[in-house]
Amino acid sequence: MSVLDWSVLVLTLLGVITYGIYRSRGSRSMDDYLLAGQSLPWYHVGLSVMATQASAITFLSAPGQGFADGMRFVQFYFGLPLAMVVLSVTFVPIFHKLKVFTAYEFLENRFDVRVRTLTSGLFLLQRGLSTGLSIYAPAIILSTILGWNIYWTNLLMGGMVLLYTVTGGTKAISYTHLQQMAIVTFAMVVAGFLTVRLLPADVGFMDALHVAGKAGRMNLIDLKFDANSRYNIWSGLIGGFFLQLSYFGTDQSQVGRYLTGESIGQSRLGLLMNGLLKVPMQFLILLVGVLVFVFYQYNPTPTFFNKQETDKLKQSQYAGAYQVAEIKHQNLAAQRQRAVADMQVALDADDEAGQNAAGAVLRQTDDALKTVKADVVKLIEQNNPAADTNDVNYVFLRFVLDYLPHGLIGLLIAVIFSASMGSIAAAYNSLASTTVVDVYKRLVRREADDAHYLQASRWATVGWGVFCIVVAQFANQLGSMIEAVNILGSLFYGVILGVFVVAFYVKSIGGRATFWATLIAEVFVVLSWYLDLTAFLWLNVIGCLLVVGIAWVLEMAMGRNANA
Amino acid sequence: MPDNPSGLPPFARSWPQLYAIVIGSLVVEIVLFYAIMSWLS
């Protein structure tokens, strides 16, 4: 990175943090600190919800996903608008009317203090650990590519957020979310625009889309129902709906965002704004990745985008085998360049048959390149069993560093920091509010003045910040980050969603049955994972259904009187 | 529970109408994506 990049990075981040602290000055009560005094308009709520969900990995991984796998990942978000509608109808009015600080307060209202404490405890465990991983995941990529020390990168990533979350609370988070979303949107649009400009002079945006389409990257919709296919319209609409409902409905890092709305209407509008904008936003991020794919059809492509791993390979006993794979890769890349040139001629001549023929060669070459890459991945694994063999997260950053102009590189690194800070800040805040409201104020010190709880909230934020940074420092022991985050979520999300499903929709089930059902279901889910009984994504469904089913059976066995 | 009409954007007369707009937009996006995919493939 040049001096200009460093200047842009530092000034952007300082600007965001200073603005957040400045706009949030004067938080004098717990309501101000944890819910921004429930004073925010819909666009604040909407952008804050979006910034919380969009982590750094979104902007590193999604373009890489578009590059490697095309546009089909967009289907994953089809369930989100439906979940926003259900939340607006059901969750938002109840949370607002009960004037709760956290989602788990509602559970005491509906069941009893045991269910509230157990559920908030499960949330704290899951969110505390996964926030540590959220700090580590982008930090390891930045440190690998830019040569930064991982421990200092973790500290910088997690520590900067503490500066404004401790002093300014939710209001600071919400104002910084606004800035972060503006920076992210601007930088991604410029990156997409410049990627098209980097294409050969006679290749325009529409030509690029045609090349991507013929190479199978504009695979936006898959109507076929296939349980083994991760992304199709049905898994997106049905699976995505349940996943987004549990995330936005029961995770305090999101509930805390839309509870800041000044009325039920403003909170609803914020969520519905997210429902309207999320799919187009993901479409555009994936499209940037697809444009990067088109760029590499005309330019030399690395065999594997994590250069550090291939450099290690060159120094190892596998150097010869790697060189053979490199030569194969170069020959195939040359073949692909000829096919893409044929495609351009066919596009200019409006020759449908020529386009299809060139498209077929492009797809064949693409498959052959994937086979060569798989061989290289095997060599990397043999050389270093602990190596990160998934280079999807490295594609976009590698492209940015190699081809985009100085200044914009600094801005895009700022985007990664901003996105990361946005989701980490919301997580710190949710951990602090749940600790103070559901544990400290409810179980430890019930009678104290507001100033005391405000101070406790600040200390809880510091405590969780330190905890998450410590977790991040040990996260390199866990292998694939994305999988680790998803496994961790799957161990708890399903069970927590089950508790809320019973609370909202099965009024006949009481607190005692729900408490024991939650405990039994959680033990079963953890055992299922430990004994490797099923793929981890199914643990979400199993956990939710187990809580509802066991609670119903226990309720029948114990009778309603037992709950009284 | 009656919907609170306050805070509705000018183009919607009720919350159910706004919910229909959000779901309708999703349907339009899916149809548009399918058309783009068919055109470019």
Side-chain angles (χ1 to χ4, degrees):
Chain A
M1 291 216 306
S2 68
V3 175
L4 178 62
D5 292 322
W6 276 107
S7 309
V8 171
L9 173 62
V10 172
L11 287 176
T12 307
L13 295 181
L14 271 181
V16 169
I17 294 168
T18 313
Y19 182 75
I21 293 172
Y22 169 73
R23 289 303 302 257
S24 62
R25 66 199 187 285
S27 283
R28 293 282 175 266
S29 67
M30 198 166 81
D31 184 46
D32 260 351
Y33 190 77
L34 296 181
L35 294 181
Q38 292 199 303
S39 62
L40 299 180
W42 62 272
Y43 56 90
H44 257 280
V45 174
L47 289 170
S48 200
V49 160
M50 292 176 81
T52 299
Q53 190 180 26
S55 68
I57 286 295
T58 307
F59 297 97
L60 288 170
S61 200
Q65 192 90 22
F67 172 91
D69 198 33
M71 299 290 292
R72 68 188 187 123
F73 183 57
V74 76
Q75 298 168 106
F76 180 75
Y77 292 93
F78 285 170
L80 187 142
L82 306 176
M84 293 304 106
V85 170
V86 171
L87 287 167
S88 296
V89 173
T90 317
F91 288 54
V92 172
I94 291 178
F95 288 160
H96 259 279
K97 278 187 181 164
L98 293 174
K99 295 192 181 302
V100 292
F101 281 93
T102 72
Y104 318 110
E105 268 185 282
F106 158 72
L107 294 178
E108 181 171 359
N109 226 294
R110 167 67 178 82
F111 299 118
D112 54 37
V113 68
R114 286 182 309 174
V115 177
R116 173 184 175 180
T117 308
L118 177 62
T119 315
S120 54
L122 291 176
F123 166 75
L124 288 172
L125 188 61
Q126 183 264 339
R127 182 47 66 194
L129 292 172
S130 65
T131 303
L133 300 186
S134 302
I135 294 171
Y136 177 77
I140 183 65
I141 295 163
L142 286 172
S143 70
T144 304
I145 287 199
L146 299 170
W148 297 352
N149 177 290
I150 179 63
Y151 294 108
W152 284 107
T153 313
N154 278 334
L155 199 62
L156 189 69
M157 192 79 90
M160 270 193 312
V161 183
L162 266 183
L163 280 178
Y164 64 90
T165 39
V166 171
T167 52
T170 297
K171 214 177 256 183
I173 293 168
S174 184
Y175 276 101
T176 48
H177 275 162
L178 239 65
Q179 311 300 308
Q180 286 154 354
M181 284 305 287
I183 293 164
V184 161
T185 308
F186 172 75
M188 290 306 280
V189 168
V190 173
F193 178 75
L194 283 181
T195 309
V196 176
R197 291 287 301 271
L198 285 169
L199 293 170
D202 57 337
V203 180
F205 177 66
M206 291 311 292
D207 295 327
L209 289 186
H210 276 286
V211 170
K214 296 293 179 192
R217 290 301 193 278
M218 295 304 287
N219 47 351
L220 282 152
I221 303 285
D222 182 0
L223 291 172
K224 206 173 113 192
F225 183 82
D226 178 1
N228 295 320
S229 158
R230 202 177 288 176
Y231 309 118
N232 58 52
I233 190 168
W234 311 112
S235 67
L237 282 170
I238 301 165
F241 169 73
F242 278 98
L243 185 69
Q244 307 292 352
L245 191 63
S246 59
Y247 173 55
F248 284 95
T250 71
D251 190 314
Q252 180 61 24
S253 68
Q254 280 296 358
V255 176
R257 306 282 70 72
Y258 56 79
L259 282 179
T260 59
E262 65 184 3
S263 65
I264 293 175
Q266 297 298 298
S267 293
R268 275 177 170 165
L269 270 183
L271 285 175
L272 295 175
M273 171 191 165
N274 183 35
L276 278 172
L277 294 183
K278 186 70 186 180
V279 174
M281 181 182 134
Q282 284 301 136
F283 174 88
L284 291 174
I285 295 171
L286 283 165
L287 189 63
V288 171
V290 168
L291 291 171
V292 170
F293 167 80
V294 176
F295 169 84
Y296 277 119
Q297 305 305 294
Y298 298 93
N299 293 281
T301 320
T303 323
F304 191 76
F305 277 86
N306 185 348
K307 196 169 168 289
Q308 276 62 30
E309 292 299 337
T310 49
D311 283 348
K312 281 182 201 161
L313 211 51
K314 283 177 191 168
Q315 306 299 323
S316 72
Q317 56 172 316
Y318 304 101
Y322 176 62
Q323 202 179 1
V324 172
E326 277 273 79
I327 292 167
K328 266 191 210 168
H329 177 87
Q330 282 164 13
N331 290 338
L332 285 165
Q335 193 178 323
R336 188 178 62 184
Q337 277 189 14
R338 285 194 293 275
V340 88
D342 291 345
M343 169 77 75
Q344 193 58 43
V345 172
L347 282 171
D348 291 342
D350 211 11
D351 171 11
E352 183 84 26
Q355 289 174 30
N356 290 335
V361 177
L362 269 183
R363 286 192 293 276
Q364 280 168 12
T365 321
D366 201 33
D367 290 342
L369 281 165
K370 281 179 183 165
T371 309
V372 174
K373 185 173 173 178
D375 292 341
V376 171
V377 166
K378 273 185 205 152
L379 292 175
I380 291 172
E381 274 174 339
Q382 283 165 358
N383 184 45
N384 175 15
D388 183 3
T389 53
N390 186 353
D391 69 341
V392 165
N393 293 335
Y394 294 83
V395 172
F396 186 56
L397 204 49
R398 187 78 265 156
F399 166 77
V400 167
L401 290 169
D402 288 347
Y403 294 102
L404 292 191
H406 288 296
L408 188 60
I409 293 175
L411 189 63
L412 282 161
I413 303 288
V415 163
I416 294 162
F417 268 99
S418 292
S420 186
M421 286 157 65
S423 48
I424 294 166
Y428 284 172
N429 186 255
S430 66
L431 287 163
S433 55
T434 306
T435 304
V436 171
V437 174
D438 295 303
V439 180
Y440 184 70
K441 192 178 176 193
R442 180 65 185 83
L443 303 173
V444 181
R445 188 155 174 189
R446 299 194 67 166
E447 300 297 329
D449 58 17
D450 203 55
H452 176 82
Y453 292 125
L454 175 63
Q455 202 59 19
S457 303
R458 288 204 161 105
W459 280 113
T461 310
V462 173
W464 278 110
V466 172
F467 175 84
C468 295
I469 292 169
V470 170
V471 171
Q473 305 292 25
F474 287 98
N476 61 346
Q477 319 281 326
L478 295 173
S480 165
M481 276 306 101
I482 294 290
E483 198 167 81
V485 170
N486 284 328
I487 290 172
L488 197 57
S490 301
L491 289 177
F492 298 96
Y493 264 146
V495 172
I496 296 176
L497 179 65
V499 177
F500 278 87
V501 166
V502 173
F504 279 116
Y505 302 112
V506 196
K507 301 283 184 202
S508 60
I509 297 177
R512 193 173 162 197
T514 307
F515 176 80
W516 287 108
T518 307
L519 271 183
I520 295 166
E522 190 57 63
V523 170
F524 186 85
V525 165
V526 172
L527 276 177
S528 300
W529 167 72
Y530 185 73
L531 299 173
D532 207 12
L533 294 182
T534 180
F536 70 84
L537 277 173
W538 287 106
L539 296 176
N540 292 292
V541 182
I542 291 169
C544 179
L545 293 179
L546 273 178
V547 172
V548 178
I550 296 171
W552 185 75
V553 170
L554 287 177
E555 185 65 41
M556 297 290 281
M558 294 188 294
R560 289 288 294 147
N561 291 338
N563 287 307
Chain B
M1 186 199 67
D3 284 318
N4 175 13
S6 67
L8 275 167
F11 55 84
R13 277 178 296 176
S14 65
W15 288 107
Q17 194 184 41
L18 195 56
Y19 301 147
I21 290 171
V22 173
I23 295 169
S25 301
L26 175 68
V27 174
V28 169
E29 279 161 1
I30 291 172
V31 171
L32 197 65
F33 289 168
Y34 191 79
I36 291 171
M37 183 181 74
S38 304
W39 177 51
L40 292 171
S41 62

